[in-house]
Amino acid sequence: MHRLRELLLWAGAALGLLAVLAGVAVAFLGFSLLVFRSGSMAPDIPTGGVALTRETAAADVRPGDVVSVLAANGDRITHRVVSTTVRGDRATLVLQGDANTTPDDEVYVVESVERVVASAPYGGFVVAHVLTPPGLLAVGCLSLMLVLMTFGRTDEDDEDDADDEDGADGADEDDPDDAARARRGAGPARHRGAGRDRRAAGAAAVTLVLVGGSLGAGGVEGTLAAFTDANRALTSSFGAADLAVPAAPGSTQTPTTSVVALTWSSAAVGATTATAYEVLRHTTATGGTGTSVCTTTALSCTDVRQAGTVYYSVRAKIGGQWVEESTRRVYTPEVTGPVLALTQPRTTNVSAANMRSQVAACVPAGIACGTSADASGVALTEYTLLRTLTGVLGSTWFCWSGSAWVQVAQASCPTFRATTGTTSWTVPGSPATAYPSLLAAEFLLTLRSTDAFGNVANGSVGYSVNAL
């Protein structure tokens, strides 16, 4: 009985010491205890396993580490890192349980994780049961029993035990010398000292168990080693890519419209490809909140052309979670129209014959010609040509139809007509019909040119023909 009691006391002291060490690690050194409630990390950490973890910066995580993170739904997931992509102090992690055949559906964007530094199979069952009301009651009863076993002993009990041990060692009770030594207390004194040592060990055991239990209980958390669907299909041809963030989108204005076409490349994390993309428009190169342009499963979308410089970025939805947006790409819209110039006629207030001679240089032939220049290309050049005749009764107005003069009621032509050619343009018609001899007139040529992006330039030039 004595040996069993001593063994229990020292075992309690050892367990208490371990509990205190774990409690100190949890309370003061940034460690935590996790109890595994599922088996996707088997066989290394089966259901009921317990792990000691420590908070680690995401940038320090490497493939192969077992880490614990919070999922989007609030569950704590503890799986092994398949791949990691670091941007600044944040990392995009792809995790997979050792017992799973595919990575987690969710991709985790984190700044820090709980990295597993040690684990014990089935230790979580003990921890989980100890922290229940019945478990705490059992711990209290055990502690009480150790207290009673330690402090409920008397010196006489120790002397009896000592006498028993002396007898077992072969002392002869009939020997007067042995009896005398027993009466003088030489033997029991030694065992009384040992009894005090055992009582100290027992007190230490009780204290350590209680203190260690109280410290450890505050740092224990349950975690899921969640299973994934082994039949999930990954269909993207970009599955081998290891990009957490798409490249910055390209932007191109759509000709003859105010639409900006945006395109980007596919993104993936490990074998998990993006299921959707969102394009954001920003007014600054960094910072600020972007405006959502579109959310799509395709690799392109359009935006309405802005009046000034903007910045576009794109982010991908991978594993049910939006990852960080790409770097921003500047887009400056092309809002300048073509540059118009009149080539012929070069001089004004000339005779009709001189006017016909000037415009004879136009190619193709016509009654006026010039150029329209734009870096993006000229889509269309149009004109109106108004002739004003002034007499004693007032003014009359005529508009050129492309082949003849048509009288109008006011000093403007209502309809623009297309020139022949766009960048090198000519107002079509016969010079002899447009500029007859002996007829003085004022002319107003109005031009409108549109570039490939829908930007419009307007211009006008006046000239005259005298009656000579």
Side-chain angles (χ1 to χ4, degrees), residues 34-431:
L34 296 177
V35 175
F36 284 71
R37 296 187 280 118
S38 64
S40 68
M41 282 303 294
D44 284 356
I45 312 177
T47 302
V50 64
L52 185 66
T53 68
R54 189 172 191 180
E55 185 174 6
T56 303
D60 296 331
V61 173
R62 298 292 181 267
D65 290 344
V66 177
V67 299
S68 184
V69 297
L70 287 177
N73 62 3
D75 287 339
R76 180 165 288 282
I77 303 296
T78 304
H79 279 168
R80 195 175 302 278
V81 177
V82 175
S83 66
T84 175
T85 302
V86 179
R87 291 192 69 202
D89 58 354
R90 305 181 72 185
T92 302
L93 305 180
V94 176
L95 305 183
Q96 180 176 339
D98 289 354
N100 295 338
T101 58
T102 58
D104 297 357
D105 287 329
E106 184 174 345
V107 174
Y108 310 94
V109 180
V110 294
E111 293 183 358
S112 65
V113 300
E114 295 290 332
R115 182 162 57 186
V116 173
V117 296
S119 63
Y122 310 116
F125 288 124
V126 177
V127 174
H129 284 84
V130 165
L131 296 181
T132 62
L136 293 174
L137 179 61
V139 170
C141 292
L142 176 61
S143 300
L144 180 60
M145 182 182 70
L146 291 175
V147 169
L148 292 176
M149 292 176 63
T150 301
F151 298 103
R153 301 288 297 160
T154 63
D155 291 342
E156 288 77 7
D157 294 331
D158 289 332
E159 290 177 6
D160 291 341
D161 290 340
D163 291 341
D164 292 341
E165 290 181 2
D166 289 341
D169 291 338
D172 187 354
E173 295 181 357
D174 295 334
D175 189 333
D177 293 335
D178 289 340
R181 282 194 299 270
R183 284 192 299 271
R184 288 193 301 269
R190 172 174 52 87
H191 292 288
R192 281 196 296 271
R196 286 193 297 270
D197 292 341
R198 290 194 298 274
R199 285 193 290 272
V206 175
T207 303
L208 292 176
V209 168
L210 294 178
V211 173
S214 65
L215 287 174
V220 178
E221 186 175 356
T223 181
L224 292 173
F227 288 101
T228 58
D229 181 5
N231 296 320
R232 183 185 58 183
L234 298 177
T235 58
S236 173
S237 60
F238 294 89
D242 190 17
L243 299 174
V245 180
S251 55
T252 306
Q253 285 186 206
T254 304
T256 70
T257 70
S258 60
V259 172
V260 178
L262 302 164
T263 59
W264 57 91
S265 58
S266 176
V269 177
T272 304
T273 54
T275 57
Y277 298 91
E278 182 182 27
V279 175
L280 303 172
R281 184 198 322 120
H282 308 265
T283 57
T284 58
T286 58
T289 302
T291 300
S292 179
V293 174
C294 63
T295 301
T296 177
T297 58
L299 297 176
S300 63
C301 72
T302 59
D303 188 22
V304 177
R305 186 184 67 196
Q306 304 300 299
T309 297
V310 294
Y311 303 83
Y312 287 106
S313 66
V314 62
R315 62 176 184 163
K317 190 174 188 180
I318 302 178
Q321 184 177 359
W322 291 105
V323 301
E324 286 187 83
E325 66 181 73
S326 69
T327 55
R328 300 178 187 180
R329 177 163 293 175
V330 63
Y331 165 71
T332 302
E334 213 279 57
V335 295
T336 304
V339 177
L340 287 162
L342 180 68
T343 304
Q344 298 295 341
R346 297 186 306 275
T347 57
T348 184
N349 194 23
V350 295
S351 66
N354 185 284
M355 182 63 64
R356 291 192 295 268
S357 175
Q358 290 185 57
V359 300
C362 291
V363 178
I367 62 173
C369 57
T371 60
S372 178
D374 191 273
S376 64
V378 179
L380 179 66
T381 301
E382 301 168 291
Y383 76 95
T384 64
L385 181 57
L386 176 70
R387 184 180 72 173
T388 302
L389 301 179
T390 302
V392 293
L393 299 179
S395 298
T396 55
W397 302 279
F398 301 83
C399 290
W400 183 252
S401 68
S403 58
W405 292 106
V406 179
Q407 187 171 354
V408 294
Q410 56 189 7
S412 64
C413 296
T415 304
F416 275 88
R417 301 176 185 275
T419 61
T420 302
T422 55
T423 54
S424 292
W425 53 266
T426 298
V427 176
S430 167

